[in-house]
């Protein structure tokens, strides 16, 4: 069925207060553009339903996370001024607490409100696609993949640090992050690895991504630690009350997660027998 306002031309006639007739973009054209941008954003089907409205913030950690996440679309500029936005986000915490849900909610809200070009990639999948371009039978080039990743107005890189470390991985990820850093383009990261300054612990973000990228991320992003139940363990037809129960059981069964005070102790390590003690007292992220 054609649009009754523009007959599918994308332009509708209007008459201003002086009786002058002209044409302007029709609402259907804007809606179609929004649908196209959303389809091009590469958001997995599993997360296409994610919004702020259906995010369950059932504890103080998740309440703080959604509050800070909501600020990103609010301060994101119009499409005419995309390089003056604020900082992105790095959502960190154990699997299943809603990091990807919140990242996608921000991405969709920004795209809908501003017309920005958004893009979602699981970090491992992005690296796999880039590697595939080295196959002579594949006509897509490495630059074809990297260009939209580095130039998207808003990029979500999911599961940072989950990829197997190598010199090539480090160089590729640093190229992406450094380019977006220099161009002041907003980026949202999620990671199962906590940001603790211990480069010898394979379960720390620093060990997974290195000093250089971590330094960039601290300038590019607000770091938000999320704690909660693993929603994948939620019973069929379970609700928020069940998540609260699972979260409380998890807190009882696992060693206490180190908070800001423990992080401060790590940044100023105690000296024992002339050697700095950098042991992480909490549970291991990603386990």
């Amino acid at each position: 069925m054609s649009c009754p306002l523009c007959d599918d031309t994308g332009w509708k006639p209007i008459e201003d207060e002086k009786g002058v007739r002209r044409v302007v973009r029709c609402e259907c054209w804007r809606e179609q553009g929004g649908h196209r941008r959303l389809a091009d954003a590469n958001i997995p089907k599993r997360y296409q339903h994610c919004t702020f409205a259906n995010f369950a913030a059932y504890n103080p950690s998740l309440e703080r996370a959604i509050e800070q996440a909501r600020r990103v679309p609010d301060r994101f500029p119009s499409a005419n001024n995309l390089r003056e936005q604020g900082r992105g986000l790095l959502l960190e915490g154990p699997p299943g607490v809603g990091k990807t849900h919140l990242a996608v909610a921000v991405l969709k809200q920004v795209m809908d409100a501003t017309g920005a070009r958004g893009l979602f990639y699981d970090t491992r999948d992005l690296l796999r696609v880039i590697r595939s371009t080295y196959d002579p039978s594949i006509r897509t080039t490495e630059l074809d993949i990297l260009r939209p990743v580095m130039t998207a107005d808003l990029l979500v890189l999911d599961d940072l640090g989950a990829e197997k470390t190598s010199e090539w991985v480090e160089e590729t990820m640093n190229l992406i992050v450094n380019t977006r850093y220099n161009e002041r383009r907003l980026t949202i990261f999620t990671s199962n690895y906590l940001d603790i300054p211990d480069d010898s612990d394979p379960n720390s973000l620093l060990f997974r991504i290195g000093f250089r990228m971590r330094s960039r991320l601290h300038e590019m992003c607000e770091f938000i630690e999320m704690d909660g139940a693993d929603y994948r363990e939620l019973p069929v037809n379970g609700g928020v009350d069940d998540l609260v129960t699972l979260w409380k059981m998890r807190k009882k069964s696992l060693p206490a997660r180190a908070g800001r005070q423990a992080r401060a102790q790590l940044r100023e390590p105690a000296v024992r027998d002339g050697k700095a003690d950098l042991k992480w007292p909490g549970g291991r992220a990603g386990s």
Side-chain angles (χ1 to χ4, degrees):
M1 182 177 178
S2 62
C3 175
L5 298 177
C6 70
D7 197 24
D8 289 345
T9 64
W11 298 91
K12 67 176 183 179
I14 64 168
E15 186 174 311
D16 63 22
E17 62 275 5
K18 296 181 180 180
V20 178
R21 292 180 61 82
R22 58 192 178 92
V23 293
V24 297
R25 279 297 185 185
C26 184
E27 286 78 4
C28 72
W29 179 84
R30 299 180 189 279
E31 290 179 4
Q32 290 171 4
H35 292 317
R36 285 194 299 269
R37 286 192 299 273
L38 192 59
D40 292 341
N42 195 43
I43 299 172
K45 289 184 179 180
R46 182 175 295 276
Y47 298 106
Q48 288 179 2
H49 73 285
C50 295
T51 64
F52 290 129
N54 57 27
F55 180 80
Y58 52 86
N59 66 37
S61 162
L62 300 180
E63 289 171 358
R64 287 192 298 270
I66 192 172
E67 180 182 353
Q68 290 181 270
R70 285 183 183 276
R71 294 174 186 166
V72 176
D74 290 342
R75 67 181 180 231
F76 199 90
S78 66
N80 295 326
N81 198 21
L82 285 170
R83 295 195 178 186
E84 295 185 10
Q85 62 262 20
R87 302 171 74 193
L89 303 174
L90 192 148
L91 306 171
E92 54 177 320
V97 296
K99 302 184 297 295
T100 305
H101 182 130
L102 210 50
V104 170
V106 174
L107 179 64
K108 291 170 61 178
Q109 182 68 21
V110 166
M111 292 172 62
D112 182 62
T114 69
R117 294 176 298 109
L119 187 61
F120 177 102
Y121 260 112
D122 177 279
T123 305
R124 290 164 298 184
D125 188 48
L126 173 59
L127 293 170
R128 178 190 60 78
V129 173
I130 295 173
R131 283 194 192 96
S132 72
T133 64
Y134 303 154
D135 185 338
S137 65
I138 303 296
R139 294 186 178 181
T140 304
T141 67
E142 183 179 13
L143 187 58
D144 290 334
I145 304 300
L146 286 174
R147 185 185 291 111
V149 171
M150 295 189 293
T151 61
D153 300 320
L154 177 58
L155 173 69
V156 172
L157 279 180
D158 194 39
D159 226 356
L160 181 67
E163 63 281 0
K164 186 176 180 181
T165 57
S166 70
E167 184 177 350
W168 178 83
V169 166
E170 185 175 354
E171 289 179 356
T172 303
M173 292 303 299
N174 271 291
L175 172 63
I176 294 169
V177 170
N178 196 57
T179 300
R180 297 189 61 82
Y181 169 83
N182 289 334
E183 294 297 320
R184 300 179 65 86
R185 298 189 185 278
L186 207 68
T187 311
I188 297 174
F189 303 87
T190 76
S191 180
N192 292 336
Y193 297 91
L194 290 182
D195 179 43
I196 55 176
D198 184 354
D199 64 343
S200 64
D201 183 353
N203 288 284
S204 72
L205 184 64
L206 175 57
F207 180 92
R208 307 297 301 184
I209 66 175
F211 284 96
R212 181 170 54 170
M213 188 186 299
R214 179 176 179 267
S215 175
R216 288 283 191 267
L217 295 185
H218 270 277
E219 188 171 351
M220 294 170 67
C221 302
E222 300 284 349
F223 278 56
I224 303 174
E225 185 175 342
M226 299 171 63
D227 185 26
D230 186 342
Y231 74 88
R232 299 181 182 94
E233 298 176 0
L234 191 64
V236 177
N237 299 324
V240 175
D241 291 342
D242 299 290
L243 285 172
V244 173
T245 300
L246 288 171
W247 172 57
K248 290 180 178 178
M249 292 172 59
R250 183 183 212 171
K251 289 175 70 69
K252 289 180 180 179
S253 62
L254 293 177
R257 294 173 64 84
R260 295 182 181 274
Q261 183 176 359
R263 292 187 184 210
Q265 292 172 353
L266 282 166
R267 292 189 179 98
E268 299 178 2
V271 176
R272 298 177 181 176
D273 300 326
K275 297 181 179 179
D277 180 13
L278 291 176
K279 291 183 178 178
W280 174 240
R284 292 180 179 271
S287 58

